[in-house]
Amino acid sequence: MEDNVVPAGPVARPGDAPAGDGTYSTAGTSETMRTDPLERLRTAAAAREAAGLRRALRPRTPTHDGLIDVASNDYLGLSRDPRLIEAAVAAVRRWGAGSTGSRLVTGSTRLHAELEERLAAFARAPRALVFSSGYLANLAAVATLGAGGLVVSDEGNHASIIDACRLSRARVAVTPHNDPAAVGKALAAREEEHAVVVTDAVFSVDGDLAPIAELHEVASRHGALLIVDEAHSLGVVGEDGRGAVHAAGLADAPDIVRTVTLSKSLGAQGGAVLGAPEIVDTLVDTGRAFIFDTGLAPASVASALAALDIVSGHPDLPGRARGNAVALARAVRERGLPTLEPAAAVVRVVLGPPDAALAAAAVFAEHGVRAGCFRPPSVPSGRSCLRLTARANLSSDDLAVIGRALTAVAEMKVSV
Ligand SMILES: Cc1ncc(COP(=O)(O)O)c(C=O)c1O
């Protein structure tokens, strides 16, 4: 009998005693055993505990809790900017707490339309379509545009892209990290009529930049669309923060689709797809993650608009975030810890096993610094790491404290 075939038999009733191994036996009979569904989950949780892979939700304090934050994605330090907060409050008073429905029914306000225009103008894209998260923007873009064809996806892509590939039901070719030649081979060998290539612009954990110009060249040559996720590059990459596609001189390429999140450098919440009118029309008509989701709340839309005002008026902000990232990476390297040259605000420090990353995060906390701690499944096995994010508003005192924490981690690493 195959393992997954459950033998027919009576169902355990409430009151039947669970056996110690998580199965139930019906009282006084030798009838069929069934697995206690929660026991199965407890067993799996115990295994994760033993492997150092349990996660805990730690509510943060509403304002400054005394810790230096290099864990959040608030790259420009805008999430608590009074202008974003006031814009959100005014939008709630005017439009209500929620958007009340799908974008196609009652969930679109004048604010949504304005944000779409402003995002497109900022990134120099033809059109934009706002989603309630960056995750859903990726689901819609990749699953809708890839459906029925070939999706070529970098092995380092974000989980939302991996999930979108699965949802697309397309054939998916996963290519080695940042390898345009491998992308070309996958495209050349395809039997499917259409194809999309998808990549993070700045990879979310390693912080390195995709070879966007080369990927675009290869995708164009093979008649494929290129989807670039600008979650970690919008507001940070390029002199004016217009993102990696713009910095590569490709903002007007009709066969590039960009996805963005409003929750990182823009300090708000939500996401968007940027691209040609044909792309936006297709997503409005057929993008399930767009159609069957409640529109982004007006407060978030208004905050994102206020953030765009600030970024446009302060072109120094992206450079400050990137400068602090370079300083962080230098501090990491000076202590003999491995890191890459950051392309944007993300600096990762690989420590290996999950316990080493947890211990390093604890050392940071002892020094008054909140650092991101990434373990499988967020990173491949054996590559647990600290993920440090630079903010435009990190001070030199903050950087000095982080330097001391890094020294302590480097000393600890010897004994791990
Ligand atoms: C590369 C990347 N894409 C997409 C997302 C999802 O964006 P959001 O948090 O707005 O859903 C994230 C968020 O962590 C990300 O890192």
Side-chain angles (χ1 to χ4, degrees):
M1 185 186 292
E2 288 171 36
D3 286 350
N4 61 352
V5 177
V6 181
V11 177
R13 293 173 296 271
D16 288 345
D21 63 358
T23 58
Y24 277 85
S25 81
T26 49
T29 72
S30 59
E31 291 166 338
T32 305
M33 312 280 267
R34 284 206 174 233
T35 304
D36 172 355
L38 296 187
E39 180 57 24
R40 184 177 74 80
L41 302 184
R42 283 191 290 271
T43 304
R48 291 197 301 277
E49 179 85 49
L53 295 176
R54 283 308 295 277
R55 293 159 187 252
L57 297 172
R58 290 190 198 84
R60 63 177 173 85
T61 52
T63 52
H64 190 54
D65 60 5
L67 292 182
I68 298 167
D69 166 36
V70 284
S72 77
N73 297 311
D74 192 9
Y75 301 137
L76 303 183
L78 293 181
S79 77
R80 299 204 61 85
D81 187 286
R83 290 163 287 185
L84 271 72
I85 293 170
E86 289 315 315
V89 170
V92 167
R93 292 200 193 289
R94 172 123 208 243
W95 297 101
S99 78
T100 78
S102 157
R103 290 289 311 276
L104 287 167
V105 186
T106 55
S108 289
T109 67
R110 190 174 47 65
L111 284 181
H112 291 77
E114 194 186 335
L115 178 58
E116 283 162 349
E117 272 169 34
R118 292 284 310 284
L119 273 173
F122 180 72
R124 308 277 195 260
R127 295 265 298 275
L129 186 66
V130 166
F131 286 72
S132 64
S133 72
Y135 189 102
L136 286 177
N138 273 338
L139 280 196
V142 178
T144 310
L145 303 171
L150 169 70
V151 179
V152 184
S153 177
D154 186 288
E155 67 180 354
N157 278 343
H158 186 256
S160 55
I161 295 177
I162 296 170
D163 294 350
C165 288
R166 293 172 181 160
L167 197 63
S168 72
R169 296 188 182 162
R171 185 166 71 82
V172 178
V174 176
T175 46
H177 184 49
N178 279 353
D179 189 343
V183 170
K185 268 192 200 150
L187 290 172
R190 80 178 191 267
E191 289 179 356
E192 296 82 1
E193 201 182 313
H194 69 273
V196 302
V197 176
V198 57
T199 186
D200 282 13
V202 169
F203 287 84
S204 53
V205 181
D206 285 351
D208 55 332
L209 186 68
I212 291 174
E214 290 90 330
L215 288 173
H216 178 243
E217 189 280 319
V218 94
S220 290
R221 187 153 33 89
H222 292 281
L225 280 175
L226 174 63
I227 303 178
V228 181
D229 178 350
E230 299 249 29
H232 299 278
S233 43
L234 187 83
V236 186
V237 170
E239 281 322 302
D240 37 18
R242 292 178 208 279
V245 168
H246 183 269
L250 292 167
D252 56 3
D255 51 358
I256 295 187
V257 179
R258 283 171 272 178
T259 59
V260 302
T261 173
L262 313 177
S263 66
K264 301 191 193 301
S265 62
L266 296 183
Q269 192 96 24
V273 175
L274 315 181
E278 294 87 337
I279 300 291
V280 169
D281 290 347
T282 302
L283 295 177
V284 169
D285 288 342
T286 69
R288 295 174 66 83
F290 178 77
I291 297 169
F292 297 105
D293 182 47
T294 295
L296 182 63
S300 301
V301 179
S303 292
L305 276 166
L308 281 175
D309 280 342
I310 295 171
V311 180
S312 307
H314 293 86
D316 57 312
L317 279 176
R320 285 193 357 223
R322 290 197 310 272
N324 284 334
V326 169
L328 275 180
R330 193 184 315 121
V332 171
R333 266 196 309 274
E334 280 170 2
R335 285 154 182 87
L337 295 165
T339 193
L340 300 172
E341 195 54 29
V346 178
V347 177
R348 70 101 174 89
V349 188
V350 174
L351 293 154
D355 286 351
L358 282 174
V363 167
F364 264 64
E366 281 159 22
H367 283 77
V369 185
R370 181 183 287 118
C373 174
F374 279 53
R375 296 165 288 159
S378 306
V379 291
S381 176
R383 294 187 60 81
S384 293
C385 62
L386 286 186
R387 175 179 182 269
L388 311 179
T389 52
R391 277 178 294 108
N393 56 351
L394 277 178
S395 68
S396 52
D397 284 354
D398 293 339
L399 290 169
V401 175
I402 294 165
R404 288 197 285 279
L406 282 167
T407 301
V409 168
E411 284 164 4
M412 173 200 93
K413 197 164 182 265
V414 177
S415 58
V416 169

